Amino acid sequence: MRLATDTIVKPLPAHLFTLHEGSAEMRWEAMAGRGYHTPNDRFFVRNHTSTPRVDHTTWRLRLHGRGLRRHLEIGYDQLRAMPYRVRDVALECAGNGRRLYGTQQREATPGMQWGLGAVGVARWKGVALRHLLEMAGLRGDAVDVLATGLDEPFIHEGENLGHVRRPLPVEKALDDVLVAYEMNGAPLPPDHGFPARLIVPGWAGIASVKWLGDLEVSTSELFTPWNTLFYPGVTTMTVKSAFELPWPAVLKAGARHSLYGRSWSGTGRIHHVEVSADNGLTWHLAERRGHLRDAWLLWRIAWTPREEGPHALLARAVDDTGARQPLRSARHPFGYHFDAVVRHPILVTSG
Ligand SMILES: Nc1nc2c(c(=O)[nH]1)N[C@H]1C(S)=C(S)[C@@H](COP(=O)(O)O)O[C@H]1N2
Ligand SMILES: [Mo]
């Protein structure tokens, strides 16, 4: 078993993170009082192996394959000198919320037992992948763009599956994908893909390959363990909501509490959010906080608990495509795509 503290470079203090094998989950109370973006020091980390230390002075991004007219090699300074884009994008692991299949639905699935903290929003700066593909003379018959990471090869059940790599359909690659080199105004931290990574808006985190070394453009469909054995058919993320509260949270009876939370979706912007404190009998519209809402919507609602004892707070969001959070998620063999309304445990105590 790999300890997260051995595979991740940044400090992982217990008040910010819950540790899983080789990976670190953000505690949602770490977002309380924070702005729109998840600060880099508390952004979740999902590593298949360990964070590599890449030397940016010798690093090259290689673009090659039959779907391109020319092969390109781009250095770090060259990448940073190209026309850039800045975007707020949510990055979320496909398995975010997996533990809730077990705790709320009695359908436990193996895999990392994430709560709701395998998600974060950052302001990413980078070059449009479209720009690089056009520089390399993208051909009309290109099909997939295979991104490969520079982290060590992944060993799964004793078998070496090679470097983490996953093909992206060329339509998505040309749409809104970034080759990012900055996160929240700083160079990408080592754990988040320094010197460059893909950012694939709306898609499961696995598409956003870190420590990018190689982009192969093919003229036929490509297959790797990361789109067959793991994450088959996984593209866009579902709608979710979380309270910026400890799990469980302790609140005083008779006091008026401002409850803060965030909702996000891979298929559209969040349209509205409702909260229930009576197990879903009545729902109350949450108030929006701030004007930024491309990546997630920040909200607030007041609650004055009357009775002492255990309670649950429920939040449900709807995005502008009409996708909404059901009371129960469809069963999933890998525990991906949890989208059900989460029962956040609250202990109400006497003043
Ligand atoms: N090279 C490489 N890229 C990777 C991974 C990895 O292990 N190696 N993990 C993927 C997964 S499963 C997720 S959810 C995101 C997590 O990004 P983060 O660690 O910056 O939060 O990176 C993706 N990109
Ligand atoms: Mo992931």
Side-chain angles (χ1 to χ4, degrees):
M1 159 135 172
R2 285 171 184 257
L3 299 177
T5 46
D6 294 338
T7 61
I8 294 172
V9 171
K10 69 182 175 184
L12 302 171
H15 68 285
L16 299 182
F17 291 103
T18 305
L19 304 187
H20 299 277
E21 185 176 349
S23 295
E25 173 175 356
M26 182 195 74
R27 290 185 185 275
W28 263 97
E29 61 267 38
M31 285 311 290
R34 298 282 149 186
Y36 192 75
H37 303 97
T38 310
N40 295 357
D41 69 348
R42 60 206 63 196
F43 208 99
F44 85 99
V45 181
R46 165 66 168 113
N47 279 352
H48 281 75
T49 61
S50 354
T51 297
R53 302 310 295 255
V54 180
D55 177 1
H56 66 281
T57 62
T58 54
W59 174 83
R60 295 286 179 277
L61 174 60
R62 302 193 323 120
L63 283 91
H64 62 102
R66 299 174 65 111
L68 298 176
R69 293 204 172 77
R70 313 174 263 289
H71 292 184
L72 274 189
E73 283 208 4
I74 295 161
Y76 187 62
D77 292 340
Q78 211 182 340
L79 185 72
R80 295 189 63 116
M82 287 181 181
Y84 63 84
R85 294 204 178 163
V86 177
R87 268 200 73 171
D88 295 335
V89 176
L91 186 67
E92 181 178 25
C93 187
N96 193 29
R98 179 182 284 118
R99 181 162 56 83
L100 296 153
Y101 276 107
T103 57
Q104 281 196 182
Q105 305 195 171
R106 299 181 194 285
E107 290 172 345
T109 45
M112 220 160 277
Q113 296 300 302
W114 302 112
L116 281 178
V119 63
V121 166
R123 179 157 287 183
W124 308 96
K125 177 176 174 182
V127 176
L129 178 54
R130 179 183 197 114
H131 180 75
L132 298 177
L133 295 175
E134 285 172 352
M135 267 177 74
L138 184 70
R139 291 168 45 114
D141 58 353
V143 172
D144 276 343
V145 179
L146 176 63
T148 302
L150 294 168
D151 40 341
E152 68 198 63
F154 180 57
I155 314 289
H156 176 70
E157 295 174 354
E159 194 189 340
N160 185 338
L161 299 180
H163 293 286
V164 171
R165 61 201 186 285
R166 192 171 204 250
L168 194 64
V170 77
E171 297 74 34
K172 180 66 176 172
L174 288 173
D175 180 15
D176 56 359
V177 178
L178 288 182
V179 175
Y181 52 78
E182 275 189 22
M183 179 178 183
N184 294 325
L188 282 184
D191 298 308
H192 298 291
F194 183 85
R197 75 176 302 167
L198 287 188
I199 288 294
V200 183
W203 285 37
I206 186 61
S208 294
V209 171
K210 303 194 275 188
W211 314 293
L212 196 58
D214 193 286
L215 290 167
E216 179 193 343
V217 182
S218 66
T219 53
S220 59
E221 230 187 310
L222 297 177
F223 300 94
T224 75
W226 286 270
N227 68 334
T228 56
L229 186 56
F230 321 115
Y231 316 100
V234 172
T235 56
T236 53
M237 292 304 296
T238 53
V239 190
K240 286 194 190 65
S241 301
F243 289 93
E244 297 169 13
L245 288 173
W247 185 288
V250 180
L251 297 176
K252 278 183 187 147
R256 186 181 161 92
H257 299 276
S258 272
L259 305 172
Y260 298 96
R262 301 175 191 234
S263 301
W264 62 98
S265 163
T267 52
R269 282 172 149 199
I270 297 298
H271 185 265
H272 67 271
V273 182
E274 295 170 312
V275 172
S276 173
D278 58 7
N279 292 312
L281 222 53
T282 58
W283 293 89
H284 307 274
L285 194 63
E287 177 195 322
R288 285 182 182 170
R289 292 189 274 153
H291 64 284
L292 291 176
R293 59 185 199 104
D294 271 351
W296 54 18
L297 178 77
L298 278 54
W299 45 264
R300 187 194 83 91
I301 199 160
W303 184 46
T304 308
R306 301 281 167 209
E307 274 171 53
E308 290 168 34
H311 281 260
L313 283 171
L314 283 59
R316 67 177 185 195
V318 182
D319 76 13
D320 54 17
T321 70
R324 56 185 61 236
Q325 295 187 252
L327 284 174
R328 196 181 170 88
S329 266
R331 193 189 190 111
H332 192 286
F334 295 94
Y336 299 145
H337 289 326
F338 189 85
D339 62 349
V341 174
V342 173
R343 301 175 57 82
H344 193 117
I346 309 289
L347 185 64
V348 178
T349 59
S350 61

